[in-house]
Amino acid sequence: SAVISQKPSRDICQRGTSLTIQCQVDSQVTMMFWYRQQPGQSLTLIATANQGSEATYESGFVIDKFPISRPNLTFSTLTVSNLSPEDSSIYLCSVDGTGLGRGYTFGSGTRLTVV
Amino acid sequence: DAKTTQPTSMDCAEGRAANLPCNHSTISGNEYVYWYRQIHSQGPQYIIHGLKNNETNEMASLIITEDRKSSTLILPHATLRDTAVYYCIVRVANNYGQNFVFGPGTRLSVLP
């Protein structure tokens, strides 16, 4: 199955700043997904990133707040902009293409704390 | 995707079998049952999936009822490292344009 490297693993940021999270996959994948997991909650999909096209955002998430890049089939970034304490969460990327119908592989996540 | 219902939490003694139930009464004929788990501070990890037949791999067994409206994930000999949140998800397999929708899951605590 695909191996995902997600960076940074954690960060503490000042409110009003931005954080860019990187997701690198060891194989080419068609779709990449970005999730948010707020403290004590389950995962919520932010957007789907398809190489060569604009990301598709879920209800409640907008491009100005969560811009996404997908320059090639192995890499994507998620930026969380204009940070506020409510953005403190774990952000995870996920990819398809693991084969065998196993579903998706997830990165280890980025734990963001906004102070 | 069909919705699932799981107990909020469960305890299991170390070395005993952990049986985690999931109800998915509105599952469609082409939807599989997937199980993932999330150990604290890590990303979700695939465990097993199945359509209608029982499945077993190195991690767990999946028992799906004949009417497919419910299933049970079995960890045959639970260890402390199996303490995690377990998610039951139903969706069409190999539908690469479709994300996984996570519910609240079951928090399994394996006790020494």
Side-chain angles (χ1 to χ4, degrees):
Chain A
S1 61
V3 176
I4 299 175
S5 173
Q6 189 173 336
K7 297 179 180 179
S9 59
R10 59 178 62 231
D11 207 343
I12 300 173
C13 298
Q14 297 289 328
R15 66 176 68 199
T17 63
S18 299
L19 176 69
T20 296
I21 302 166
Q22 298 179 2
C23 183
Q24 177 74 54
V25 190
D26 68 344
S27 58
Q28 294 184 341
V29 294
T30 305
M31 309 293 287
M32 297 182 76
F33 302 91
W34 286 98
Y35 286 83
R36 180 177 72 181
Q37 188 170 28
Q38 295 177 298
Q41 303 296 313
S42 186
L43 285 76
T44 300
L45 181 68
I46 297 172
T48 301
N50 193 3
Q51 195 270 334
S53 63
E54 292 286 333
T56 302
Y57 289 83
E58 297 299 301
S59 175
F61 297 95
V62 295
I63 187 171
D64 290 346
K65 176 67 175 178
F66 299 99
I68 289 172
S69 78
R70 183 80 202 276
N72 57 53
L73 292 173
T74 63
F75 187 78
S76 178
T77 66
L78 169 73
T79 298
V80 189
S81 304
N82 190 25
L83 291 169
S84 68
E86 292 71 34
D87 295 320
S88 296
S89 296
I90 298 173
Y91 294 86
L92 301 109
C93 68
S94 175
V95 302
D96 69 349
T98 60
L100 303 177
R102 284 194 160 196
Y104 290 61
T105 299
F106 287 81
S108 55
T110 297
R111 182 179 295 274
L112 169 62
T113 302
V114 183
V115 297
Chain B
D1 292 335
K3 293 185 177 180
T4 63
T5 305
Q6 299 176 250
T8 302
S9 63
M10 294 181 63
D11 292 340
C12 178
E14 187 179 18
R16 303 298 293 271
N19 298 281
L20 291 89
C22 180
N23 288 322
H24 32 78
S25 59
T26 61
I27 191 170
S28 301
N30 62 345
E31 287 183 315
Y32 285 66
V33 180
Y34 284 82
W35 283 85
Y36 281 76
R37 74 179 181 183
Q38 187 174 24
I39 297 172
H40 183 62
S41 298
Q42 298 182 22
Q45 174 191 23
Y46 166 87
I47 301 173
I48 199 167
H49 76 288
L51 182 62
K52 55 183 179 181
N53 297 322
N54 297 337
E55 301 288 344
T56 296
N57 64 19
E58 66 279 3
M59 291 183 67
S61 295
L62 174 60
I63 309 298
I64 302 174
T65 58
E66 190 170 347
D67 64 6
R68 303 208 324 121
K69 293 185 177 181
S70 65
S71 60
T72 302
L73 177 75
I74 301 173
L75 308 178
H77 305 287
T79 70
L80 299 179
R81 288 173 293 188
D82 291 322
T83 292
V85 178
Y86 287 77
Y87 298 100
C88 170
I89 302 167
V90 293
R91 53 156 281 162
V92 177
N94 296 329
N95 187 352
Y96 295 131
Q98 190 176 29
N99 62 290
F100 277 79
V101 178
F102 287 80
T106 296
R107 183 172 298 276
L108 175 69
S109 298
V110 180
L111 307 175

